[in-house]
Short mmCIF file of all heavy atoms in Angstrom, two decimals:
data_model
loop_
_atom_site.label_atom_id
_atom_site.label_comp_id
_atom_site.label_asym_id
_atom_site.label_seq_id
_atom_site.Cartn_x
_atom_site.Cartn_y
_atom_site.Cartn_z
N THR A 92 17.04 213.35 104.03
CA THR A 92 16.12 212.36 103.51
C THR A 92 15.36 211.68 104.67
O THR A 92 14.16 211.40 104.58
CB THR A 92 16.83 211.33 102.64
OG1 THR A 92 17.68 212.01 101.73
CG2 THR A 92 15.88 210.44 101.87
N VAL A 93 16.07 211.41 105.78
CA VAL A 93 15.41 210.80 106.98
C VAL A 93 14.32 211.75 107.47
O VAL A 93 13.22 211.32 107.79
CB VAL A 93 16.46 210.53 108.08
CG1 VAL A 93 15.80 210.18 109.40
CG2 VAL A 93 17.40 209.42 107.65
N ALA A 94 14.68 213.04 107.57
CA ALA A 94 13.70 214.06 108.09
C ALA A 94 12.47 214.09 107.19
O ALA A 94 11.31 214.11 107.69
CB ALA A 94 14.38 215.41 108.12
N TYR A 95 12.64 214.09 105.88
CA TYR A 95 11.51 214.13 104.93
C TYR A 95 10.63 212.89 105.10
O TYR A 95 9.41 212.98 105.18
CB TYR A 95 12.11 214.27 103.56
CG TYR A 95 11.11 214.29 102.41
CD1 TYR A 95 9.81 214.80 102.61
CD2 TYR A 95 11.43 213.90 101.13
CE1 TYR A 95 8.89 214.87 101.58
CE2 TYR A 95 10.56 213.95 100.10
CZ TYR A 95 9.27 214.44 100.30
OH TYR A 95 8.37 214.48 99.28
N ALA A 96 11.30 211.69 105.11
CA ALA A 96 10.48 210.43 105.20
C ALA A 96 9.69 210.39 106.51
O ALA A 96 8.51 210.07 106.45
CB ALA A 96 11.49 209.29 105.15
N ALA A 97 10.32 210.79 107.62
CA ALA A 97 9.64 210.72 108.89
C ALA A 97 8.49 211.74 108.97
O ALA A 97 7.42 211.42 109.56
CB ALA A 97 10.62 210.99 110.03
N ALA A 98 8.66 212.90 108.32
CA ALA A 98 7.60 213.93 108.37
C ALA A 98 6.32 213.44 107.65
O ALA A 98 5.20 213.71 108.16
CB ALA A 98 8.08 215.23 107.74
N GLU A 99 6.52 212.75 106.53
CA GLU A 99 5.29 212.30 105.82
C GLU A 99 4.56 211.22 106.60
O GLU A 99 3.32 211.29 106.74
CB GLU A 99 5.71 211.73 104.42
CG GLU A 99 4.52 211.44 103.56
CD GLU A 99 4.85 210.90 102.22
OE1 GLU A 99 5.37 211.65 101.38
OE2 GLU A 99 4.71 209.66 101.98
N ILE A 100 5.31 210.33 107.25
CA ILE A 100 4.65 209.30 108.03
C ILE A 100 4.00 209.95 109.27
O ILE A 100 2.90 209.59 109.71
CB ILE A 100 5.69 208.23 108.46
CG1 ILE A 100 6.27 207.57 107.20
CG2 ILE A 100 5.06 207.17 109.35
CD1 ILE A 100 7.57 206.84 107.45
N GLY A 101 4.70 210.93 109.82
CA GLY A 101 4.13 211.64 110.99
C GLY A 101 2.83 212.35 110.67
O GLY A 101 1.89 212.30 111.48
N ALA A 102 2.71 212.92 109.45
CA ALA A 102 1.50 213.56 109.07
C ALA A 102 0.31 212.52 108.98
O ALA A 102 -0.79 212.83 109.43
CB ALA A 102 1.66 214.27 107.75
N VAL A 103 0.63 211.39 108.41
CA VAL A 103 -0.41 210.33 108.28
C VAL A 103 -0.89 209.91 109.70
O VAL A 103 -2.10 209.85 109.95
CB VAL A 103 0.15 209.09 107.49
CG1 VAL A 103 -0.85 207.93 107.58
CG2 VAL A 103 0.43 209.46 106.05
N PHE A 104 0.02 209.66 110.62
CA PHE A 104 -0.36 209.18 111.92
C PHE A 104 -0.95 210.25 112.84
O PHE A 104 -1.80 209.98 113.66
CB PHE A 104 0.83 208.42 112.59
CG PHE A 104 0.96 207.07 112.11
CD1 PHE A 104 1.81 206.75 111.05
CD2 PHE A 104 0.21 206.02 112.66
CE1 PHE A 104 1.94 205.49 110.56
CE2 PHE A 104 0.30 204.72 112.18
CZ PHE A 104 1.18 204.47 111.11
N MET A 105 -0.54 211.50 112.58
CA MET A 105 -1.17 212.60 113.34
C MET A 105 -2.63 212.73 112.89
O MET A 105 -3.53 212.98 113.73
CB MET A 105 -0.39 213.90 113.12
CG MET A 105 -0.58 214.92 114.17
SD MET A 105 -0.07 214.35 115.79
CE MET A 105 -1.38 214.94 116.83
N ALA A 106 -2.85 212.58 111.59
CA ALA A 106 -4.24 212.65 111.08
C ALA A 106 -5.07 211.53 111.65
O ALA A 106 -6.22 211.71 112.15
CB ALA A 106 -4.23 212.56 109.56
N LEU A 107 -4.47 210.31 111.75
CA LEU A 107 -5.18 209.14 112.29
C LEU A 107 -5.47 209.38 113.80
O LEU A 107 -6.53 209.06 114.27
CB LEU A 107 -4.36 207.89 112.17
CG LEU A 107 -4.34 207.28 110.76
CD1 LEU A 107 -3.38 206.07 110.77
CD2 LEU A 107 -5.74 206.83 110.37
N ALA A 108 -4.53 209.96 114.50
CA ALA A 108 -4.73 210.25 115.96
C ALA A 108 -5.90 211.24 116.14
O ALA A 108 -6.74 211.08 117.02
CB ALA A 108 -3.46 210.80 116.60
N CYS A 109 -5.94 212.29 115.27
CA CYS A 109 -7.00 213.29 115.40
C CYS A 109 -8.36 212.64 115.03
O CYS A 109 -9.37 212.89 115.72
CB CYS A 109 -6.75 214.46 114.47
SG CYS A 109 -5.39 215.50 115.03
N VAL A 110 -8.41 211.83 113.95
CA VAL A 110 -9.67 211.23 113.53
C VAL A 110 -10.19 210.22 114.59
O VAL A 110 -11.36 210.26 114.95
CB VAL A 110 -9.50 210.54 112.14
CG1 VAL A 110 -10.73 209.70 111.78
CG2 VAL A 110 -9.30 211.58 111.05
N THR A 111 -9.30 209.32 115.03
CA THR A 111 -9.74 208.36 116.03
C THR A 111 -10.13 209.02 117.35
O THR A 111 -11.08 208.60 118.02
CB THR A 111 -8.68 207.27 116.31
OG1 THR A 111 -7.44 207.92 116.60
CG2 THR A 111 -8.51 206.35 115.14
N GLY A 112 -9.48 210.11 117.68
CA GLY A 112 -9.83 210.88 118.88
C GLY A 112 -11.22 211.51 118.71
O GLY A 112 -12.01 211.49 119.68
N ALA A 113 -11.49 212.01 117.52
CA ALA A 113 -12.78 212.63 117.26
C ALA A 113 -13.89 211.52 117.34
O ALA A 113 -15.01 211.84 117.86
CB ALA A 113 -12.76 213.29 115.92
N ILE A 114 -13.63 210.34 116.79
CA ILE A 114 -14.63 209.26 116.84
C ILE A 114 -14.91 208.85 118.29
O ILE A 114 -16.05 208.60 118.67
CB ILE A 114 -14.08 208.05 116.03
CG1 ILE A 114 -14.07 208.38 114.54
CG2 ILE A 114 -14.96 206.82 116.26
CD1 ILE A 114 -13.40 207.36 113.67
N TRP A 115 -13.85 208.87 119.12
CA TRP A 115 -14.04 208.54 120.56
C TRP A 115 -14.83 209.63 121.28
O TRP A 115 -15.64 209.37 122.12
CB TRP A 115 -12.64 208.37 121.19
CG TRP A 115 -12.69 208.10 122.66
CD1 TRP A 115 -12.83 206.92 123.31
CD2 TRP A 115 -12.60 209.09 123.72
NE1 TRP A 115 -12.84 207.08 124.66
CE2 TRP A 115 -12.70 208.42 124.95
CE3 TRP A 115 -12.44 210.46 123.70
CZ2 TRP A 115 -12.67 209.09 126.15
CZ3 TRP A 115 -12.37 211.13 124.93
CH2 TRP A 115 -12.50 210.45 126.14
N ALA A 116 -14.55 210.91 120.85
CA ALA A 116 -15.17 212.05 121.56
C ALA A 116 -16.66 212.18 121.28
O ALA A 116 -17.41 212.61 122.16
CB ALA A 116 -14.45 213.35 121.11
N ARG A 117 -17.12 211.74 120.11
CA ARG A 117 -18.53 211.90 119.73
C ARG A 117 -19.50 211.26 120.76
O ARG A 117 -20.34 211.91 121.30
CB ARG A 117 -18.77 211.37 118.32
CG ARG A 117 -20.20 211.50 117.83
CD ARG A 117 -20.55 212.94 117.61
NE ARG A 117 -21.93 213.10 117.18
CZ ARG A 117 -22.95 213.28 118.04
NH1 ARG A 117 -22.77 213.28 119.33
NH2 ARG A 117 -24.16 213.47 117.59
N PRO A 118 -19.31 209.94 121.06
CA PRO A 118 -20.21 209.38 122.08
C PRO A 118 -19.84 209.74 123.52
O PRO A 118 -20.70 209.61 124.44
CB PRO A 118 -20.06 207.80 121.89
CG PRO A 118 -18.75 207.70 121.20
CD PRO A 118 -18.47 208.93 120.42
N THR A 119 -18.60 210.19 123.75
CA THR A 119 -18.15 210.50 125.10
C THR A 119 -18.49 211.90 125.52
O THR A 119 -19.06 212.17 126.59
CB THR A 119 -16.65 210.27 125.26
OG1 THR A 119 -16.33 209.02 124.70
CG2 THR A 119 -16.22 210.27 126.68
N TRP A 120 -18.14 212.88 124.64
CA TRP A 120 -18.37 214.30 124.98
C TRP A 120 -19.62 214.82 124.30
O TRP A 120 -20.04 216.00 124.53
CB TRP A 120 -17.17 215.15 124.51
CG TRP A 120 -15.85 214.83 125.15
CD1 TRP A 120 -15.67 214.13 126.35
CD2 TRP A 120 -14.55 215.15 124.66
NE1 TRP A 120 -14.33 214.05 126.59
CE2 TRP A 120 -13.63 214.64 125.60
CE3 TRP A 120 -14.07 215.83 123.53
CZ2 TRP A 120 -12.24 214.79 125.42
CZ3 TRP A 120 -12.71 216.00 123.38
CH2 TRP A 120 -11.78 215.50 124.35
N GLY A 121 -20.17 214.10 123.36
CA GLY A 121 -21.34 214.55 122.56
C GLY A 121 -20.96 215.38 121.36
O GLY A 121 -21.85 215.90 120.65
N THR A 122 -19.67 215.51 121.07
CA THR A 122 -19.25 216.31 119.91
C THR A 122 -17.93 215.71 119.39
O THR A 122 -17.16 215.16 120.15
CB THR A 122 -19.07 217.79 120.24
OG1 THR A 122 -18.60 218.47 119.13
CG2 THR A 122 -18.05 218.00 121.37
#
Side-chain angles (χ1 to χ4, degrees):
Chain A
T92 313
V93 168
Y95 179 27
E99 190 180 285
I100 300 162
V103 171
F104 280 93
M105 202 59 222
L107 284 175
C109 288
V110 169
T111 51
I114 292 171
W115 176 86
R117 181 69 182 90
T119 312
W120 299 340
T122 178

